Amino acid sequence: MISVSGMHKIKDLFIQGEYAGSRFDDGSGEKNDKAWWVNSKLRKEKLYIDTEYINAGPDYPGRRKDNAGHRAYLSYSLFKPLWTWAHNQKLRTNLKDDPARSTDNTDRIELGSSLSVKEFPSLSLSYQISNSDSEKAGALLSDAEEKSVVFRSHKALGNSSVSFDSKWSDSKDDIKLTNTKTSEYTTRLYERWQKTNAWVGYSYNTERDIAQSSNTVLETREAGFIYQPMSKFSSSFSFSNEGVKGEKSASALSFDVNYEAWDETFFYLEGEVRSDNKDANGDWQVWLTFKRNFDLPLFFINVRGALKGIV
């Protein structure tokens, strides 16, 4: 798998993109596919715009595959401590319309505002509407709408910081004939030292199925740290455990190591192991990446490029 990326800045506008191609054999024959990504950011004193588009083919062996979508984020400061924002995101799967697979579509809109004043916790409140549907071989499998209110808060305390997030949702699916109300509460604690950052988190979610008159409790525990002893080397590890209360849980362990061997030459090692406690072996993935930055020999445009190879 090889990718080429580039970035360009025009005053307050920053544009970057990446194109990747892959070829591999998973035992069923040789496959090749591609993926591309474009992102642009505009940053002003009172205005911030961020747009992104990604397309990853069905046979692309990356973390994202068989999906395409875009997102657009706009934020504006009404006055110094208060910002308002709008966010829209759309995603589609099954890009080749394989009749043996389902096609999922998601469309989410979020409107919100945030307030940040020194010596006080930063606060934000938003309202979300998410519509999703799933179709297979011309048959509609689901058609859901979810409405949510989200509250977020964060407070820095010296080298430490703490956050508390909550989300209240009401979802309904006319095809599956479901109607649920969900409450999610998440708290995280962060600590910073000279060369290490660490965090722990806990989430408690309750879901009430009105149609079935049942309640489900989902708990998530997470922890991680980042270690950077020098500017050219950094590493991070994270662990999470999630499951329905009273039942077996699933866990995930991920890590990445970044090293700048020479000027503008980098090596990345990333890995992920997942287990649902049903398969003793679990699922694992490892990525080894080589990256070399270079300048395009075009005197009339200032473009920064990069060449990456991934095994």
Side-chain angles (χ1 to χ4, degrees), residues 11-232:
K11 294 185 178 181
D12 298 321
L13 177 64
F14 182 75
I15 303 173
Q16 58 182 335
E18 182 175 1
Y19 180 87
S22 65
R23 185 173 59 186
F24 69 100
D25 191 337
D26 61 357
S28 61
E30 186 174 287
K31 297 180 180 179
N32 58 78
D33 216 328
K34 56 186 177 297
W36 63 89
W37 165 78
V38 179
N39 175 244
S40 64
K41 295 182 175 70
L42 176 65
R43 190 184 298 273
K44 296 284 188 177
E45 183 179 357
K46 291 189 174 184
L47 177 67
Y48 177 72
I49 300 175
D50 188 343
T51 63
E52 180 184 61
Y53 176 80
I54 187 170
N55 186 303
D59 295 321
Y60 181 71
R63 290 189 175 183
R64 293 191 62 170
K65 61 185 297 183
D66 198 17
N67 64 67
H70 73 270
R71 66 173 180 84
Y73 177 86
L74 185 148
S75 181
Y76 181 76
S77 176
L78 298 176
F79 49 89
K80 192 170 184 180
L82 181 65
W83 287 78
T84 60
W85 78 83
H87 182 214
N88 176 243
Q89 184 175 22
K90 291 186 178 182
L91 184 68
R92 179 181 181 271
T93 65
N94 195 14
L95 302 184
K96 290 186 177 180
D97 295 323
D98 185 350
R101 303 186 57 191
S102 62
T103 301
D104 302 327
N105 296 282
T106 303
D107 186 356
R108 188 183 66 152
I109 298 176
E110 181 179 12
L111 302 174
S113 62
S114 61
L115 180 67
S116 180
V117 181
K118 290 183 178 180
E119 309 301 329
F120 290 93
S122 59
L123 307 172
S124 73
L125 184 67
S126 64
Y127 179 72
Q128 298 177 1
I129 298 179
S130 179
N131 293 283
S132 62
D133 62 73
S134 181
E135 182 181 355
K136 184 177 181 181
L140 193 59
L141 304 179
S142 68
D143 186 9
E145 181 184 59
E146 181 182 85
K147 299 178 180 179
S148 307
V149 175
V150 182
F151 171 78
R152 300 181 181 94
S153 63
H154 180 270
K155 173 61 177 175
L157 304 167
N159 291 333
S160 304
S161 61
V162 61
S163 67
F164 176 77
D165 303 333
S166 56
K167 181 179 180 180
W168 301 273
S169 304
D170 189 351
S171 61
K172 185 178 181 180
D173 192 320
D174 294 331
I175 302 299
K176 294 183 177 180
L177 301 178
T178 59
N179 189 355
T180 59
K181 293 184 180 295
T182 306
S183 299
E184 305 177 16
Y185 305 95
T186 302
T187 183
R188 292 184 178 91
L189 176 64
Y190 306 85
E191 185 67 33
R192 299 184 301 275
W193 294 281
Q194 186 174 2
K195 299 179 180 180
T196 306
N197 297 340
W199 72 90
V200 293
Y202 175 76
S203 298
Y204 184 88
N205 304 340
T206 62
E207 181 179 292
R208 182 164 61 94
D209 191 325
I210 298 176
Q212 300 294 330
S213 300
S214 61
N215 292 290
T216 303
V217 176
L218 178 68
E219 293 180 297
T220 303
R221 299 170 180 84
E222 59 181 351
F225 72 90
I226 300 173
Y227 177 60
Q228 187 172 6
M230 61 184 71
S231 59
K232 293 187 176 183

